[in-house]
Coordinates of all heavy atoms in Angstrom, one line a residue:
M16 N 246.2 50.3 226.7 CA 247.3 51.2 227.1 C 247.1 51.5 228.6 O 246.0 51.9 229.0 CB 247.3 52.5 226.3 CG 248.4 53.4 226.8 SD 248.5 54.9 225.8 CE 247.5 56.0 226.9
K17 N 248.1 51.4 229.3 CA 248.1 51.7 230.8 C 248.3 53.2 230.9 O 249.2 53.8 230.4 CB 249.2 51.0 231.5 CG 249.1 51.3 233.0 CD 250.2 50.5 233.7 CE 250.1 50.8 235.2 NZ 251.1 50.1 236.0
K18 N 247.3 53.9 231.6 CA 247.5 55.3 231.8 C 248.0 55.5 233.2 O 247.4 55.0 234.2 CB 246.1 56.0 231.7 CG 245.7 56.1 230.3 CD 245.0 57.4 230.1 CE 244.8 57.7 228.7 NZ 244.7 59.0 228.3
Y19 N 249.0 56.3 233.3 CA 249.6 56.6 234.6 C 249.0 57.8 235.2 O 248.7 58.8 234.5 CB 251.1 56.8 234.5 CG 251.9 55.5 234.2 CD1 252.2 55.2 232.9 CD2 252.3 54.7 235.2 CE1 252.9 54.0 232.6 CE2 253.0 53.5 234.9 CZ 253.3 53.2 233.6 OH 253.9 52.0 233.3
R20 N 248.7 57.7 236.5 CA 248.0 58.9 237.2 C 249.1 59.4 238.2 O 249.9 58.7 238.6 CB 246.8 58.4 237.9 CG 245.7 57.9 237.0 CD 244.5 57.4 237.8 NE 243.6 56.7 237.0 CZ 242.5 57.3 236.4 NH1 242.3 58.6 236.6 NH2 241.7 56.6 235.6
P21 N 248.9 60.7 238.5 CA 249.8 61.3 239.5 C 249.7 60.6 240.8 O 248.6 60.1 241.2 CB 249.4 62.7 239.6 CG 248.6 63.0 238.4 CD 248.0 61.7 238.0
N22 N 250.8 60.5 241.6 CA 250.8 59.9 242.9 C 249.9 60.7 243.8 O 250.0 61.9 244.1 CB 252.2 59.9 243.4 CG 252.4 59.2 244.7 OD1 251.4 58.7 245.3 ND2 253.6 59.1 245.2
T23 N 248.9 60.0 244.3 CA 247.8 60.6 245.1 C 248.4 61.3 246.4 O 248.0 62.4 246.8 CB 246.7 59.6 245.5 OG1 246.3 59.0 244.3 CG2 245.6 60.3 246.2
T24 N 249.3 60.6 247.1 CA 249.8 61.1 248.3 C 250.6 62.4 248.1 O 250.6 63.4 248.8 CB 250.7 60.1 249.1 OG1 251.7 59.6 248.2 CG2 249.9 58.9 249.5
A25 N 251.4 62.4 246.9 CA 252.2 63.6 246.6 C 251.2 64.8 246.3 O 251.5 65.9 246.6 CB 253.1 63.3 245.5
V26 N 250.2 64.5 245.6 CA 249.2 65.6 245.3 C 248.6 66.1 246.6 O 248.4 67.3 246.7 CB 248.1 65.0 244.3 CG1 247.0 66.0 244.1 CG2 248.7 64.7 243.0
V27 N 248.2 65.2 247.5 CA 247.6 65.7 248.7 C 248.6 66.5 249.5 O 248.2 67.5 250.1 CB 247.1 64.4 249.5 CG1 246.7 64.8 251.0 CG2 245.9 63.8 248.8
V28 N 249.8 66.1 249.6 CA 250.8 66.8 250.3 C 251.0 68.2 249.7 O 251.1 69.2 250.4 CB 252.2 66.1 250.3 CG1 253.3 66.9 250.8 CG2 252.1 64.8 251.2
G29 N 251.1 68.3 248.4 CA 251.2 69.6 247.7 C 250.0 70.5 248.0 O 250.2 71.7 248.3
I30 N 248.8 70.0 248.0 CA 247.6 70.8 248.3 C 247.6 71.2 249.7 O 247.3 72.4 250.0 CB 246.4 70.0 247.9 CG1 246.3 69.9 246.4 CG2 245.1 70.7 248.4 CD1 245.2 69.0 245.9
V31 N 248.0 70.3 250.6 CA 248.0 70.7 252.0 C 249.1 71.8 252.3 O 248.8 72.7 253.1 CB 248.3 69.4 252.9 CG1 248.7 69.8 254.3 CG2 247.1 68.5 252.9
L32 N 250.2 71.7 251.7 CA 251.2 72.8 251.9 C 250.7 74.1 251.4 O 250.9 75.1 252.0 CB 252.5 72.4 251.1 CG 253.4 71.4 251.8 CD1 254.6 71.0 250.8 CD2 254.0 72.0 253.0
M33 N 250.0 74.1 250.3 CA 249.5 75.4 249.8 C 248.4 75.9 250.7 O 248.3 77.1 251.0 CB 248.9 75.2 248.4 CG 250.0 74.9 247.3 SD 249.4 74.6 245.7 CE 249.2 76.3 245.2
V34 N 247.6 75.0 251.2 CA 246.5 75.5 252.2 C 247.1 76.0 253.5 O 246.7 77.0 254.0 CB 245.5 74.3 252.5 CG1 244.6 74.7 253.6 CG2 244.7 74.0 251.2
I35 N 248.2 75.4 254.0 CA 248.9 75.8 255.2 C 249.4 77.2 254.9 O 249.3 78.1 255.8 CB 250.0 74.8 255.6 CG1 249.3 73.6 256.2 CG2 250.9 75.5 256.6 CD1 250.3 72.5 256.4
G36 N 250.0 77.4 253.7 CA 250.6 78.7 253.4 C 249.5 79.8 253.4 O 249.7 80.9 253.9
L37 N 248.3 79.5 252.8 CA 247.2 80.4 252.8 C 246.7 80.7 254.2 O 246.3 81.9 254.5 CB 246.1 79.9 251.9 CG 246.4 79.9 250.4 CD1 245.3 79.2 249.7 CD2 246.6 81.3 249.9
I38 N 246.6 79.7 255.0 CA 246.2 79.9 256.4 C 247.1 80.8 257.1 O 246.7 81.7 257.9 CB 246.0 78.6 257.1 CG1 244.8 77.8 256.6 CG2 245.9 78.8 258.6 CD1 244.7 76.4 257.0
M39 N 248.4 80.7 256.9 CA 249.4 81.6 257.5 C 249.2 83.0 257.1 O 249.3 83.9 257.9 CB 250.8 81.1 257.2 CG 251.3 79.9 257.9 SD 253.0 79.6 257.4 CE 253.3 78.1 258.3
W40 N 248.9 83.2 255.8 CA 248.6 84.6 255.3 C 247.4 85.1 256.0 O 247.3 86.3 256.3 CB 248.5 84.6 253.8 CG 249.8 84.4 253.1 CD1 251.0 84.5 253.6 CD2 249.9 84.1 251.7 NE1 252.0 84.3 252.6 CE2 251.3 84.0 251.5 CE3 249.0 83.9 250.7 CZ2 251.8 83.7 250.2 CZ3 249.5 83.6 249.4 CH2 250.9 83.5 249.2
L41 N 246.4 84.3 256.1 CA 245.1 84.8 256.7 C 245.3 85.1 258.2 O 244.7 86.1 258.7 CB 244.0 83.7 256.6 CG 243.5 83.5 255.1 CD1 242.6 82.3 255.1 CD2 242.9 84.7 254.6
I42 N 246.1 84.3 258.9 CA 246.3 84.7 260.3 C 247.1 86.0 260.4 O 246.7 86.8 261.2 CB 247.2 83.5 261.0 CG1 246.3 82.3 261.1 CG2 247.7 84.0 262.3 CD1 247.1 81.1 261.6
R43 N 248.0 86.2 259.5 CA 248.8 87.5 259.6 C 247.9 88.6 259.2 O 248.0 89.7 259.8 CB 250.0 87.4 258.6 CG 250.7 88.7 258.3 CD 251.2 89.3 259.5 NE 252.0 90.5 259.2 CZ 251.5 91.7 259.2 NH1 250.2 91.9 259.4 NH2 252.3 92.8 258.9
A44 N 247.0 88.4 258.3 CA 246.1 89.5 257.9 C 245.0 89.8 258.9 O 244.6 90.9 259.1 CB 245.4 89.2 256.5
A45 N 244.6 88.8 259.6 CA 243.6 88.9 260.6 C 244.1 89.7 261.9 O 243.4 90.6 262.4 CB 243.0 87.6 261.1
F46 N 245.3 89.4 262.3 CA 245.8 90.0 263.5 C 246.6 91.3 263.2 O 246.7 92.2 264.1 CB 246.6 89.0 264.4 CG 245.7 87.9 264.9 CD1 245.9 86.6 264.4 CD2 244.7 88.2 265.8 CE1 245.1 85.6 264.9 CE2 243.9 87.1 266.2 CZ 244.1 85.8 265.8
N47 N 247.2 91.4 262.1 CA 248.0 92.5 261.6 C 248.9 93.1 262.6 O 248.9 94.3 262.9 CB 247.0 93.6 261.1 CG 247.6 94.6 260.2 OD1 248.7 94.4 259.7 ND2 246.9 95.7 259.9
Q48 N 249.7 92.2 263.2 CA 250.8 92.7 264.1 C 252.1 92.5 263.5 O 252.4 91.5 262.7 CB 250.7 91.8 265.4 CG 249.4 92.0 266.2 CD 249.3 91.0 267.3 OE1 250.2 90.2 267.6 NE2 248.3 91.1 268.1
N49 N 253.0 93.4 263.8 CA 254.4 93.3 263.2 C 255.1 92.1 263.7 O 256.1 91.6 263.0 CB 255.2 94.6 263.5 CG 254.7 95.7 262.7 OD1 254.1 95.5 261.6 ND2 255.0 96.9 263.1
S50 N 254.8 91.6 264.8 CA 255.5 90.4 265.4 C 255.1 89.1 264.6 O 255.8 88.1 264.7 CB 255.1 90.2 266.8 OG 253.8 90.0 267.0
L51 N 254.1 89.2 263.7 CA 253.7 88.0 262.9 C 254.1 88.1 261.5 O 253.7 87.4 260.6 CB 252.2 87.9 263.0 CG 251.5 87.6 264.3 CD1 250.0 87.5 264.2 CD2 252.1 86.3 264.9
N52 N 255.1 89.0 261.2 CA 255.5 89.2 259.8 C 256.2 87.9 259.3 O 256.2 87.7 258.1 CB 256.5 90.4 259.7 CG 255.7 91.7 259.6 OD1 254.5 91.7 259.4 ND2 256.4 92.8 259.9
W53 N 256.8 87.1 260.1 CA 257.4 85.9 259.7 C 256.4 84.9 259.0 O 256.8 84.1 258.2 CB 258.1 85.2 260.8 CG 257.2 84.8 262.0 CD1 256.9 85.6 263.0 CD2 256.5 83.6 262.2 NE1 256.0 85.0 263.8 CE2 255.8 83.7 263.3 CE3 256.5 82.4 261.4 CZ2 255.0 82.7 263.8 CZ3 255.7 81.4 261.9 CH2 255.0 81.5 263.1
L54 N 255.1 85.1 259.3 CA 254.1 84.2 258.7 C 254.0 84.5 257.2 O 253.7 83.5 256.5 CB 252.7 84.4 259.4 CG 252.5 83.8 260.8 CD1 251.2 84.3 261.4 CD2 252.6 82.3 260.7
I55 N 254.3 85.7 256.8 CA 254.2 86.0 255.4 C 255.3 85.2 254.6 O 255.0 84.5 253.6 CB 254.4 87.5 255.1 CG1 253.2 88.3 255.7 CG2 254.5 87.8 253.6 CD1 253.4 89.8 255.7
I56 N 256.5 85.2 255.1 CA 257.6 84.5 254.5 C 257.4 83.0 254.5 O 257.5 82.3 253.5 CB 258.9 84.8 255.2 CG1 259.2 86.3 255.1 CG2 260.1 84.0 254.6 CD1 260.2 86.9 255.9
W57 N 257.0 82.4 255.6 CA 256.8 81.0 255.7 C 255.6 80.5 254.9 O 255.6 79.5 254.3 CB 256.7 80.5 257.2 CG 258.0 80.5 257.8 CD1 258.5 81.4 258.7 CD2 259.0 79.5 257.6 NE1 259.8 81.0 259.1 CE2 260.1 79.9 258.4 CE3 259.1 78.4 256.9 CZ2 261.3 79.1 258.5 CZ3 260.3 77.6 256.9 CH2 261.4 78.0 257.7
G58 N 254.6 81.4 254.9 CA 253.4 81.1 254.1 C 253.7 81.0 252.6 O 253.3 80.2 251.9
L59 N 254.5 82.0 252.2 CA 255.0 82.0 250.8 C 255.8 80.8 250.4 O 255.7 80.2 249.4 CB 255.7 83.3 250.5 CG 256.2 83.5 249.0 CD1 255.0 83.6 248.1 CD2 257.1 84.7 248.9
L60 N 256.7 80.4 251.3 CA 257.5 79.3 251.2 C 256.7 78.0 251.0 O 256.9 77.1 250.2 CB 258.5 79.1 252.3 CG 259.5 78.0 252.2 CD1 260.5 78.3 251.0 CD2 260.3 77.9 253.5
C61 N 255.6 77.9 251.9 CA 254.8 76.7 251.8 C 254.0 76.7 250.5 O 253.8 75.6 249.9 CB 253.8 76.7 253.0 SG 254.6 76.3 254.6
V62 N 253.5 77.8 250.1 CA 252.7 77.8 248.9 C 253.6 77.5 247.7 O 253.2 76.7 246.8 CB 252.0 79.2 248.7 CG1 251.5 79.3 247.3 CG2 250.9 79.4 249.7
C63 N 254.8 78.0 247.7 CA 255.7 77.7 246.6 C 256.1 76.2 246.5 O 256.2 75.6 245.5 CB 256.9 78.6 246.6 SG 256.6 80.3 246.3
C64 N 256.4 75.7 247.7 CA 256.8 74.3 247.8 C 255.7 73.4 247.4 O 255.9 72.4 246.6 CB 257.3 73.9 249.2 SG 258.9 74.6 249.6
G65 N 254.5 73.7 247.8 CA 253.3 72.9 247.4 C 253.1 73.0 245.9 O 252.8 71.9 245.2
G66 N 253.2 74.1 245.3 CA 253.0 74.3 243.9 C 254.1 73.6 243.1 O 253.8 72.9 242.1
L67 N 255.3 73.6 243.6 CA 256.4 73.0 242.9 C 256.2 71.4 243.0 O 256.5 70.7 242.0 CB 257.7 73.3 243.6 CG 259.0 72.7 243.0 CD1 259.2 73.2 241.6 CD2 260.2 73.1 243.8
E68 N 255.8 71.0 244.1 CA 255.5 69.5 244.2 C 254.4 69.1 243.3 O 254.6 68.0 242.6 CB 255.1 69.2 245.6 CG 255.0 67.7 245.8 CD 255.0 67.3 247.3 OE1 255.3 68.1 248.2 OE2 254.7 66.1 247.5
L69 N 253.4 69.8 243.2 CA 252.3 69.5 242.2 C 252.8 69.5 240.8 O 252.4 68.6 240.0 CB 251.1 70.4 242.4 CG 250.3 70.3 243.7 CD1 249.3 71.4 243.8 CD2 249.7 68.9 243.8
T70 N 253.6 70.5 240.4 CA 254.2 70.6 239.1 C 255.0 69.4 238.8 O 254.9 68.8 237.7 CB 254.9 71.9 238.9 OG1 254.1 73.0 239.2 CG2 255.5 72.0 237.5
I71 N 255.9 69.0 239.7 CA 256.8 67.9 239.5 C 256.0 66.6 239.3 O 256.3 65.8 238.4 CB 257.8 67.8 240.6 CG1 258.8 69.0 240.5 CG2 258.6 66.5 240.6 CD1 259.7 69.1 241.7
V72 N 255.0 66.4 240.2 CA 254.2 65.2 240.1 C 253.5 65.1 238.7 O 253.4 64.0 238.1 CB 253.2 65.1 241.3 CG1 252.2 64.1 241.1 CG2 254.0 64.9 242.6
A73 N 253.0 66.2 238.3 CA 252.3 66.3 237.0 C 253.2 65.9 235.8 O 252.9 65.2 234.9 CB 251.6 67.6 236.8
F74 N 254.5 66.5 235.9 CA 255.4 66.2 234.8 C 255.9 64.7 234.8 O 256.1 64.1 233.8 CB 256.6 67.1 234.9 CG 256.4 68.4 234.3 CD1 256.6 69.6 235.0 CD2 256.1 68.5 232.9 CE1 256.4 70.8 234.4 CE2 255.9 69.7 232.3 CZ 256.1 70.9 233.1
I75 N 256.0 64.1 236.0 CA 256.3 62.7 236.1 C 255.3 61.9 235.4 O 255.6 61.0 234.7 CB 256.6 62.3 237.5 CG1 257.9 62.9 238.0 CG2 256.7 60.8 237.7 CD1 258.2 62.8 239.5
A76 N 254.0 62.1 235.8 CA 252.9 61.4 235.2 C 252.8 61.6 233.7 O 252.6 60.6 232.9 CB 251.6 61.8 235.8
L77 N 253.1 62.8 233.2 CA 253.1 63.1 231.8 C 254.2 62.3 231.1 O 253.9 61.8 230.0 CB 253.2 64.6 231.6 CG 253.2 65.1 230.2 CD1 251.8 65.1 229.6 CD2 253.7 66.6 230.2
R78 N 255.3 62.3 231.7 CA 256.5 61.6 231.0 C 256.2 60.1 231.0 O 256.5 59.5 229.9 CB 257.7 61.9 231.8 CG 259.0 61.2 231.3 CD 259.4 61.7 230.0 NE 260.6 61.0 229.5 CZ 260.9 60.9 228.3 NH1 260.1 61.3 227.3 NH2 262.0 60.2 228.0
K79 N 255.6 59.5 232.0 CA 255.3 58.1 232.0 C 254.3 57.8 230.9 O 254.4 56.8 230.2 CB 254.8 57.6 233.4 CG 255.9 57.5 234.4 CD 255.3 57.0 235.7 CE 256.3 56.9 236.8 NZ 255.7 56.4 238.1
N80 N 253.3 58.6 230.8 CA 252.3 58.4 229.8 C 252.9 58.5 228.4 O 252.6 57.8 227.4 CB 251.1 59.4 229.9 CG 250.2 59.0 231.1 OD1 250.0 57.8 231.4 ND2 249.6 60.0 231.7
D81 N 253.8 59.5 228.2 CA 254.5 59.7 226.9 C 255.3 58.5 226.5 O 255.3 58.1 225.4 CB 255.3 61.0 227.0 CG 255.9 61.4 225.7 OD1 255.1 61.3 224.7 OD2 257.1 61.7 225.6
L82 N 256.0 58.0 227.5 CA 256.9 56.8 227.2 C 256.0 55.6 226.8 O 256.3 54.8 225.9 CB 257.7 56.4 228.4 CG 258.9 57.4 228.7 CD1 259.6 57.0 230.0 CD2 259.9 57.5 227.6
E83 N 254.9 55.4 227.5 CA 253.9 54.3 227.2 C 253.4 54.5 225.8 O 253.3 53.5 225.0 CB 252.8 54.3 228.2 CG 251.9 53.1 228.0 CD 252.5 51.8 228.4 OE1 253.4 51.8 229.2 OE2 252.0 50.8 227.9
I84 N 253.0 55.7 225.4 CA 252.5 55.9 224.0 C 253.6 55.7 223.0 O 253.3 55.1 221.9 CB 251.9 57.4 223.9 CG1 250.6 57.5 224.7 CG2 251.7 57.7 222.5 CD1 250.1 58.9 224.9
Q85 N 254.8 56.1 223.2 CA 255.9 55.9 222.3 C 256.2 54.4 222.1 O 256.4 53.9 221.0 CB 257.2 56.6 222.8 CG 257.2 58.1 222.6 CD 258.4 58.7 223.2 OE1 259.4 58.0 223.6 NE2 258.5 60.0 223.1
K86 N 256.0 53.7 223.2 CA 256.2 52.2 223.1 C 255.2 51.6 222.3 O 255.5 50.7 221.4 CB 256.2 51.6 224.6 CG 256.5 50.2 224.7 CD 256.7 49.8 226.1 CE 255.6 48.8 226.5 NZ 255.7 48.4 227.9
Q87 N 253.9 52.0 222.4 CA 252.9 51.5 221.6 C 253.0 51.8 220.1 O 252.8 51.0 219.2 CB 251.5 52.0 222.1 CG 251.0 51.3 223.3 CD 249.6 51.7 223.6 OE1 249.1 52.7 223.1 NE2 248.9 50.9 224.4
V88 N 253.5 53.1 219.8 CA 253.7 53.5 218.5 C 254.8 52.7 217.8 O 254.7 52.2 216.7 CB 254.0 55.0 218.4 CG1 254.5 55.4 217.0 CG2 252.8 55.8 218.8
R89 N 255.9 52.5 218.5 CA 257.0 51.6 218.0 C 256.5 50.2 217.7 O 256.9 49.6 216.7 CB 258.1 51.6 219.0 CG 259.0 52.8 218.9 CD 260.3 52.7 219.7 NE 260.6 53.9 220.4 CZ 260.6 54.2 221.6 NH1 260.3 53.2 222.5 NH2 260.9 55.4 222.1
A90 N 255.7 49.6 218.6 CA 255.2 48.3 218.4 C 254.3 48.2 217.2 O 254.3 47.3 216.4 CB 254.5 47.8 219.6
K91 N 253.5 49.2 217.0 CA 252.6 49.3 215.9 C 253.3 49.4 214.6 O 253.0 48.8 213.6 CB 251.6 50.5 216.0 CG 250.5 50.5 215.0 CD 249.5 51.6 215.2 CE 248.5 51.7 214.2 NZ 247.6 52.8 214.4
E92 N 254.4 50.3 214.6 CA 255.2 50.5 213.4 C 256.0 49.2 213.0 O 256.1 48.8 211.9 CB 256.2 51.6 213.6 CG 255.6 53.0 213.5 CD 256.5 54.1 213.9 OE1 257.7 53.8 214.3 OE2 256.1 55.2 213.7
A93 N 256.4 48.5 214.1 CA 257.1 47.2 213.8 C 256.2 46.2 213.3 O 256.5 45.4 212.4 CB 257.8 46.7 215.1
Q94 N 255.0 46.2 213.7 CA 253.9 45.2 213.2 C 253.6 45.5 211.8 O 253.5 44.6 211.0 CB 252.7 45.3 214.1 CG 251.6 44.3 213.7 CD 252.1 42.8 213.9 OE1 252.8 42.6 214.8 NE2 251.6 42.0 213.1
E95 N 253.4 46.8 211.5 CA 253.1 47.2 210.1 C 254.3 46.9 209.2 O 254.1 46.4 208.0 CB 252.8 48.7 210.0 CG 251.5 49.1 210.6 CD 251.3 50.6 210.7 OE1 252.2 51.4 210.2 OE2 250.2 51.0 211.1
K96 N 255.5 47.1 209.6 CA 256.7 46.8 208.8 C 256.8 45.2 208.6 O 257.1 44.8 207.5 CB 258.0 47.3 209.5 CG 259.2 47.2 208.7 CD 260.4 47.8 209.5 CE 261.6 47.8 208.6 NZ 262.7 48.4 209.3
K97 N 256.4 44.5 209.6 CA 256.5 43.0 209.5 C 255.4 42.6 208.5 O 255.6 41.7 207.7 CB 256.2 42.4 210.9 CG 256.3 40.9 210.9 CD 256.1 40.4 212.3 CE 256.2 38.9 212.4 NZ 255.9 38.4 213.7
D98 N 254.2 43.2 208.6 CA 253.1 42.8 207.7 C 253.5 43.2 206.2 O 253.1 42.6 205.3 CB 251.8 43.5 208.1 CG 251.3 42.9 209.4 OD1 251.7 41.8 209.8 OD2 250.4 43.6 210.0
K99 N 254.2 44.3 206.1 CA 254.5 44.8 204.7 C 255.6 43.9 204.1 O 255.5 43.7 202.9 CB 255.1 46.2 204.9 CG 255.0 47.1 203.7 CD 255.5 48.5 204.0 CE 254.9 49.5 203.1 NZ 255.5 50.8 203.3
Q100 N 256.4 43.3 204.9 CA 257.4 42.4 204.3 C 256.9 41.1 203.9 O 257.4 40.4 203.0 CB 258.5 42.1 205.4 CG 259.4 43.3 205.6 CD 260.4 43.0 206.7 OE1 260.4 42.0 207.4 NE2 261.4 44.0 206.9
K101 N 255.7 40.7 204.4 CA 255.1 39.4 204.0 C 254.5 39.5 202.6 O 254.3 40.2 201.9 CB 254.0 39.0 205.0 CG 254.6 38.5 206.3 CD 253.5 38.1 207.2 CE 254.0 37.5 208.4 NZ 253.0 37.0 209.3

């Protein structure tokens, strides 16, 4: 059975977005100036987009694996049915 793995580049992009968001929060916390409040919003947006991308990539890999397993089960059932008829 072929096992599908998540797309590596998409996983890396998702993790990088989350790290960028965390860095924005750290910069805002370190300097604590009101003029840097926009970093909180953009940081949250980056973290959310990165997490969403990782979730979508995981569901795509899960679905591909599920379809592959269903295909094997159908083939096995067809083989058993064919053997039973003989």
Side-chain angles (χ1 to χ4, degrees):
M16 177 180 95
K17 181 178 179 182
K18 285 218 172 206
Y19 290 94
R20 298 178 189 265
N22 185 356
T23 307
T24 55
V26 170
V27 169
V28 168
I30 291 172
V31 167
L32 280 172
M33 293 179 83
V34 169
I35 288 171
L37 290 173
I38 290 172
M39 287 181 179
W40 288 345
L41 291 174
I42 290 171
R43 168 60 175 90
F46 295 115
N47 202 11
Q48 296 174 358
N49 285 338
S50 62
L51 296 177
N52 281 343
W53 59 273
L54 285 174
I55 295 171
I56 298 167
W57 284 103
L59 182 63
L60 185 67
C61 286
V62 169
C63 290
C64 288
L67 182 64
E68 183 164 350
L69 290 175
T70 304
I71 291 171
V72 168
F74 276 125
I75 289 171
L77 181 73
R78 179 67 178 151
K79 285 182 180 179
N80 285 329
D81 187 45
L82 290 174
E83 185 70 26
I84 289 171
Q85 286 178 4
K86 187 170 113 178
Q87 282 187 343
V88 168
R89 282 191 215 112
K91 186 177 179 182
E92 287 175 353
Q94 183 66 30
E95 288 175 358
K96 189 175 183 180
K97 184 179 177 183
D98 290 343
K99 207 176 202 184
Q100 287 177 354
K101 286 185 178 181

